[in-house]
Amino acid sequence: MEVTARKPSGRWSALWGVGMLAVFFGERMIGSGTGRGVATIAGLLMVLAAIAVRAVRARAAAPDRAVAERTLLGFYGLGMLAVVLYFIQSDLPVALWSGKPLEHSWPRLATMLSALWPPVWLAAASPIALIELAYAQVARAPRIEVGRVRDAMFTGLGLAAALVFAFSIAYVASERDKKVDLAYFRTTRPGEVTRRIVRNLDQPIEVAGFFPSGSEVAEEAYNYLQDLGRESGQFKIVHYDFDIDPIKAKEYGVSTNSVLVFSRGTRHEQLGLPKEIESAKNALKNLDKEVQQRLLMMVKPPKVAGIVQGHGERTWDRPTSDTDKRPQIKLFRDLLVDQTYDVRYLSAADGLAQDVPKDISVVMVIGPQHPYLPEEYAALNRFIDRGGRLLIALDPENHVDFHEVLKPLYLEYKDVTLANEQVFARRTHQDTDRINLIANTYNSSPSVTTLQRLGSRAFLILPGAGWINTDPNRKADVTVDAPIKAHHATFPDKNGNYRQDPGEEKRAWELAATAVKKDARVFVLADSDLFDDEALPAGANQLLALDVAHWLFGDEAYTGQTSTEADVPISHTRKQDVVWFYGTIFLAPALVILAGLGVTRGGRRRRRTADAGGARTEGAAS
């Protein structure tokens, strides 16, 4: 009879599995009619046949094999129990005995059984599959390793438990669809610029808040305003509700709640906020920026920036030609608008060839690709002579040196690209990245107040810059300064090979220069790329743009950092994204597998060592 037990075991478990599949097909796929009965009954017969054969094998097997056979028989029975539990809560009793379905007479019991039978069946099927795999490896051995069968059983039970847990979590999550926002949130605090504006108020400003009672958004907004109000008694806060104070709402021009109104005299500026706290979080994170804009509209006279066009300069809407692939300066334009400056284009059609219009406060020349007309250079020089303000940002590759305007200011632009082999911003991970200069050396010039205060923490990125020379023999009527210098290992890459060659001197080249002539102010930057939409968000480039704009417009009192709690997006290059993708898909699982192999082999090595030690001890004893 022991020969019977040594015959292949897997065929009967396969029969059991096919029977279960037939029952599932009949009950869940067909669901009704004669086909359901045929499939279900055939499946039950196969399951019962497998159980009967397994019982015979268990009785005929040797003691060691009987353990495996009885274990499989027990799990066969457990699987059959799951089928019985399913039939009890199904509509089968109604079809056979014309009674009421269990879900009508005992709804809680029906629910419990419908949730219980799948894990019971899984607790049977998973160990059966793993036990058969382990049993097959030792089926022809004189004696089987009972421990191997037992380990397979526990592994199957553990796998079933893990699957049940996972499905349970998924079910609970789908039924209790509750979102929990774990993101960091805090309403911004008043920044140094906003505080300085309020501190220097010479006339009262009233802030009227229209919020309903109990509004969480109102609580956050009023906390910010009360903190700001401590800076000056000229800053007053009043509270209203649109529904309760319709007359005041009409006076301020308010048509709904969740609105802040900033008033000075007859001028009103509104700031609307979302009514619900969840949707208002982003607005509250940037509240300081929005409040600062409204205050600047109240306290500053209107000023105009004219950005010159007509010579291939950078634009904020579209390139001047199809061949100009340079990024735009839309972010720079928006930055100026946020500071309440009026920004417009300025060209020969606007009178630049004759004279700079009287309403222009600052003229900005950003990345010209072609020289100006002599009349335009003369107009800019006259603009400087009468106290105008001028921003000039050039590029070495365009070979426009603007000497007609710079020479009278004792400045000279050198259109040779600088490079650095030690300190540079990586973008393509090629040698070409060496022209992406990093600079964080500033002097005490008022044109870089914020950067000078931050020091080495504020680094600029200039993707392809020339440099500026100052004439040491200048006259006293023009004050010249070099507020920004390159890293000391920077050199002029005269032959464009991105490496230092003989004759290419390393030193801290001047990347920017300022010239003050009576009331006139001129800021010259050796790379216009800093103002484009790709470079401006990098490093402290935006802080430089703000510092320079405030200095040129004469608004040094508003220089500083705006407070924000907005999340900074994490950006990767394409290569970095590829590394992260393959690292998470292949590398992380490979590390887990290697760790598991290491632990497994270590355990086997220790067991072999222990067995060898035991054998030597027995040999010595004998």
Side-chain angles (χ1 to χ4, degrees):
M1 296 298 291
E2 184 179 346
V3 176
T4 303
R6 291 193 182 189
K7 291 182 179 180
S9 168
R11 66 180 65 175
W12 306 114
S13 292
L15 179 65
W16 181 89
V18 171
M20 288 293 181
L21 184 62
V23 173
F24 173 81
F25 188 78
E27 293 295 313
R28 310 298 291 183
M29 302 296 291
I30 301 176
S32 62
T34 306
R36 173 189 179 184
V38 171
T40 302
I41 293 173
L44 289 175
L45 291 176
M46 285 188 281
V47 171
L48 292 174
I51 293 175
V53 172
R54 187 64 67 180
V56 172
R57 289 172 60 92
R59 283 199 302 269
D64 57 330
R65 297 180 184 274
V67 173
E69 296 290 338
R70 285 195 296 269
T71 302
L72 288 171
L73 178 61
F75 283 114
Y76 283 6
L78 184 62
M80 192 62 195
L81 175 63
V83 174
V84 172
L85 294 176
Y86 167 78
F87 283 141
I88 292 174
Q89 58 86 43
S90 70
D91 61 347
L92 187 62
V94 179
L96 293 178
W97 299 294
S98 301
K100 290 184 179 181
L102 188 64
E103 61 182 3
H104 290 169
S105 54
W106 299 87
R108 291 188 177 181
L109 179 60
T111 302
M112 182 186 71
L113 293 178
S114 63
L116 181 61
W117 75 261
V120 171
W121 185 88
L122 192 61
S126 180
I128 288 173
L130 294 182
I131 289 173
E132 287 291 1
L133 291 175
Y135 197 9
Q137 296 178 4
V138 295
R140 297 187 178 278
R143 294 180 59 84
I144 67 169
E145 299 179 30
V146 177
R148 175 178 296 205
V149 175
R150 187 180 297 111
D151 290 343
M153 177 189 69
F154 286 128
T155 302
L157 290 172
L159 179 60
L163 290 174
V164 170
F165 177 77
F167 282 113
S168 301
I169 292 295
Y171 173 77
V172 172
S174 64
E175 292 298 315
R176 299 181 61 86
D177 189 11
K178 183 178 179 180
K179 294 182 179 179
V180 179
D181 187 2
L182 300 179
Y184 169 80
F185 167 70
R186 187 180 73 177
T187 300
T188 181
R189 300 291 91 191
E192 56 177 316
V193 177
T194 313
R195 292 181 184 275
R196 195 180 303 125
I197 294 172
V198 174
R199 197 180 303 129
N200 296 329
L201 289 176
D202 55 358
Q203 296 180 32
I205 288 182
E206 180 182 85
V207 183
F210 287 84
F211 294 94
S213 177
S215 170
E216 294 181 84
V217 179
E219 182 180 356
E220 297 290 338
Y222 285 140
N223 286 340
Y224 170 89
L225 294 172
Q226 289 167 2
D227 190 2
L228 188 58
R230 298 187 184 98
E231 300 293 332
S232 172
Q234 301 276 26
F235 190 78
K236 301 178 181 179
I237 308 168
V238 292
H239 309 263
Y240 298 109
D241 187 328
F242 173 79
D243 298 321
I244 299 176
D245 304 289
I247 298 177
K248 280 293 183 182
K250 184 177 180 180
E251 177 184 337
Y252 286 107
V254 175
S255 59
T256 184
N257 269 323
S258 199
V259 176
L260 296 173
V261 183
F262 297 79
S263 303
R264 189 177 194 180
T266 59
R267 182 169 183 177
H268 303 307
E269 295 291 342
Q270 293 188 9
L271 171 58
L273 297 171
K275 295 181 180 180
E276 300 297 329
I277 188 64
E278 289 300 321
S279 55
K281 285 183 176 181
N282 286 334
L284 292 171
K285 289 179 180 180
N286 294 293
L287 184 61
D288 185 59
K289 173 186 174 182
E290 300 296 331
V291 171
Q292 184 186 127
Q293 289 180 12
R294 273 65 179 183
L295 294 177
L296 289 174
M297 292 177 184
M298 296 286 179
V299 302
K300 281 174 53 179
K303 296 180 180 180
V304 181
I307 297 183
V308 181
Q309 294 293 286
H311 317 86
E313 292 92 349
R314 295 179 184 269
T315 66
W316 63 72
D317 48 11
R318 60 185 182 277
T320 56
S321 66
D322 294 336
T323 59
D324 188 1
K325 303 301 182 181
R326 298 178 299 174
Q328 299 172 339
I329 55 170
K330 185 178 183 300
L331 293 180
F332 178 60
R333 191 279 307 267
D334 294 344
L335 194 69
L336 296 176
V337 172
D338 288 343
Q339 298 299 307
T340 70
Y341 299 125
D342 184 12
V343 184
R344 65 182 70 163
Y345 285 136
L346 175 63
S347 65
D350 302 303
L352 181 60
Q354 288 77 38
D355 213 345
V356 176
K358 301 296 183 182
D359 61 338
I360 298 292
S361 305
V362 176
V363 174
M364 298 183 174
V365 179
I366 304 177
Q369 295 177 308
H370 311 291
Y372 284 27
L373 296 173
E375 295 81 3
E376 292 172 321
Y377 284 125
L380 292 176
N381 284 327
R382 289 194 300 271
F383 179 67
I384 294 173
D385 290 339
R386 67 171 185 259
R389 312 293 173 86
L390 183 61
L391 168 64
I392 302 174
L394 305 174
D395 294 302
E397 64 269 18
N398 294 332
H399 304 293
V400 178
D401 59 14
F402 240 69
H403 67 273
E404 293 85 352
V405 175
L406 297 182
K407 187 173 182 180
L409 301 174
Y410 305 102
L411 300 175
E412 180 184 15
Y413 179 71
K414 293 293 187 179
D415 54 2
V416 178
T417 303
L418 296 174
N420 193 309
E421 296 177 303
Q422 301 177 19
V423 180
F424 56 90
R426 296 187 181 276
R427 184 178 181 183
T428 63
H429 296 271
Q430 304 293 329
D431 288 347
T432 54
D433 288 342
R434 295 175 181 178
I435 65 173
N436 298 329
L437 302 185
I438 295 178
N440 61 354
T441 303
Y442 317 103
N443 66 10
S444 57
S445 170
S447 62
V448 290
T449 301
T450 306
L451 299 177
Q452 190 272 334
R453 184 167 62 251
L454 294 175
S456 59
R457 292 176 295 164
F459 57 91
L460 302 175
I461 297 179
L462 295 92
W467 78 92
I468 301 167
N469 283 338
T470 59
D471 188 350
N473 300 319
R474 55 184 176 269
K475 296 181 180 179
D477 62 332
V478 179
T479 303
V480 176
D481 197 1
I484 306 172
K485 292 189 177 183
H487 184 267
H488 61 82
T490 305
F491 59 90
D493 189 21
K494 297 177 182 179
N495 57 6
N497 66 350
Y498 311 108
R499 300 180 184 277
Q500 187 194 16
D501 297 313
E504 297 178 348
E505 178 188 2
K506 284 186 178 182
R507 68 180 177 88
W509 302 88
E510 289 78 10
L511 300 176
T514 61
V516 179
K517 184 179 181 181
K518 296 182 180 179
D519 292 332
R521 296 179 180 180
V522 179
F523 188 94
V524 185
L525 186 66
D527 182 20
S528 76
D529 294 309
L530 181 140
F531 294 108
D532 71 36
D533 291 350
E534 291 185 0
L536 190 63
N541 290 5
Q542 186 170 311
L543 292 179
L544 174 65
L546 285 172
D547 276 1
V548 171
H550 289 145
W551 180 71
L552 290 174
F553 280 103
D555 294 331
E556 295 95 325
Y558 309 124
T559 298
Q561 292 179 280
T562 300
S563 178
T564 180
E565 296 293 339
D567 297 327
V568 179
I570 299 174
S571 59
H572 297 135
T573 64
R574 183 178 179 83
K575 289 186 177 180
Q576 289 173 329
D577 286 334
V578 170
V579 171
W580 278 104
F581 174 78
Y582 286 110
T584 54
I585 297 298
F586 298 112
L587 182 60
L591 292 176
V592 173
I593 293 173
L594 289 175
L597 289 174
V599 172
T600 303
R601 290 185 177 181
R604 291 177 179 175
R605 190 179 299 111
R606 286 191 295 272
R607 285 195 294 271
R608 285 198 297 268
T609 303
D611 293 343
R616 285 195 296 269
T617 303
E618 291 177 2
S622 61

